[in-house]
Amino acid sequence: MSALSIQGVSRIFETGQGQRTQALLPVDFNVHDNDFVTILGPSGCGKSTLLRIVAGLERPSTGRVMLDGQPVDGPGADRGMVFQSYTLFPWLTVAQNIRFGLRERGMAEAAQKERCDYFMAKVGLRGFEHHFPKQLSGGMQQRTAIARALANDPKILLLDEPFGALDNQTRVLMQELLLGIWESARKTVLFVTHDIDEAIFMANRVAVFSARPGRIKSDIAVNLPHPRH
Ligand code: ADP
Ligand code: ADP
């Protein structure tokens, strides 16, 4: 059974005065456990829309998303999301941001702290517990966003152009960091990008979207040995 099964998922937006935008044509797509899949396509082809539907932040117009055989109906702790623009709470410190979901779930303080320390170390943020997001560089803010997503122990990580706003050098560091996490934590990853090099470098499978309205045009197993294997 596939970890994630996208079945005939499409999306039409009603944009007022009887106008409609077809953001996504029906997509059928299966992702297996521990796969690192990139979704590649030009801007506006519906990549974010698909990811948001998988995250449960938006509903499909047709079709459904199944996660371990259960239909997705809204957001859940089984999916961790990281966006391009840093969506940290600006009034909370790094540690408070990372602990946010754990606290919401009612986890005991000591356990929250332990988990937070573990993931801060994992993303290279040790020592930045009490910093606020605006005191950090873009790369460090994305490290925080990744640590926050991982702290909730999701089964699937959903990343929407997470490194798109970073300079080249920082982007390469962050790509390496994410690949290391993927390898050691064995997460299933769905990673959206419009950058061909990034799509091929990161993934063991690349789904290529056609230009809008999006539909998967080809689905390629990257048969070059993965740089880490
Ligand atoms: P991508 O992530 O590939 O850049 P998006 O999923 O963001 O593409 O958008 C796909 C299409 O749907 C675009 O034409 C975009 O303008 C449109 N779209 C996305 N979100 C909305 C919305 N909330 N309302 C209306 N149109 C939208
Ligand atoms: P990266 O996030 O990929 O490590 P950055 O350019 O974001 O790259 O940061 C490089 C290094 O600079 C960090 O590892 C950190 O040690 C230091 N640094 C960045 N921002 C701050 C800050 N606000 N306060 C102290 N040190 C910082």
Side-chain angles (χ1 to χ4, degrees):
M1 188 173 62
S2 303
L4 174 68
S5 176
I6 295 168
Q7 304 173 351
V9 167
S10 74
R11 184 70 163 104
I12 294 170
F13 289 105
E14 309 284 346
T15 46
Q17 291 159 349
Q19 299 285 86
R20 293 146 70 89
T21 303
Q22 178 103 42
L24 199 62
L25 286 169
V27 171
D28 288 285
F29 190 60
N30 290 314
V31 177
H32 298 289
D33 277 331
N34 304 331
D35 263 358
F36 194 125
V37 178
T38 49
I39 295 178
L40 173 67
S43 185
C45 74
K47 306 181 297 298
S48 293
T49 299
L50 180 62
L51 210 67
R52 291 173 58 81
I53 290 170
V54 173
L57 299 172
E58 236 161 62
R59 288 185 181 280
S61 303
T62 66
R64 60 180 187 172
V65 176
M66 306 288 284
L67 203 70
D68 287 330
Q70 297 296 316
V72 158
D73 181 28
D78 50 4
R79 283 147 291 148
M81 183 98 189
V82 178
F83 300 91
Q84 175 175 336
S85 49
Y86 323 116
T87 45
L88 302 173
F89 300 114
W91 60 89
L92 298 180
T93 64
V94 165
Q96 288 166 339
N97 265 283
I98 294 169
R99 289 166 65 159
F100 187 83
L102 306 177
R103 189 190 194 114
E104 293 279 290
R105 266 195 271 160
M107 186 182 278
E109 280 284 321
Q112 283 181 34
K113 183 172 185 320
E114 192 184 335
R115 266 195 98 68
C116 178
D117 288 349
Y118 176 81
F119 286 104
M120 287 194 63
K122 193 148 185 118
V123 300
L125 276 177
R126 225 198 294 256
F128 290 91
E129 287 79 354
H130 305 299
H131 283 65
F132 285 91
K134 68 172 189 305
Q135 298 175 292
L136 302 178
S137 66
M140 296 182 81
Q141 290 187 41
Q142 278 312 60
R143 286 170 196 262
T144 308
I146 291 169
R148 184 175 62 180
L150 290 170
N152 292 308
D153 196 26
K155 189 174 159 64
I156 302 191
L157 265 186
L158 305 169
L159 303 108
D160 191 356
E161 308 241 9
F163 311 141
L166 304 176
D167 61 80
N168 281 331
Q169 199 182 346
T170 307
R171 181 179 313 132
V172 171
L173 286 173
M174 295 298 289
Q175 287 170 340
E176 294 283 355
L177 174 75
L178 181 61
L179 284 175
I181 288 168
W182 172 62
E183 273 198 340
S184 63
R186 302 311 305 178
K187 295 283 178 200
T188 305
V189 178
L190 205 52
F191 184 105
V192 161
T193 182
H194 65 259
D195 183 308
I196 295 177
D197 290 341
E198 182 171 63
I200 293 169
F201 173 67
M202 299 294 284
N204 54 9
R205 196 172 144 209
V206 180
V208 185
F209 269 55
S210 62
R212 75 173 119 158
R215 129 174 293 163
I216 291 173
K217 200 172 186 177
S218 61
D219 187 352
I220 311 158
V222 179
N223 43 20
L224 294 169
H226 195 277
R228 299 231 168 207
H229 289 282

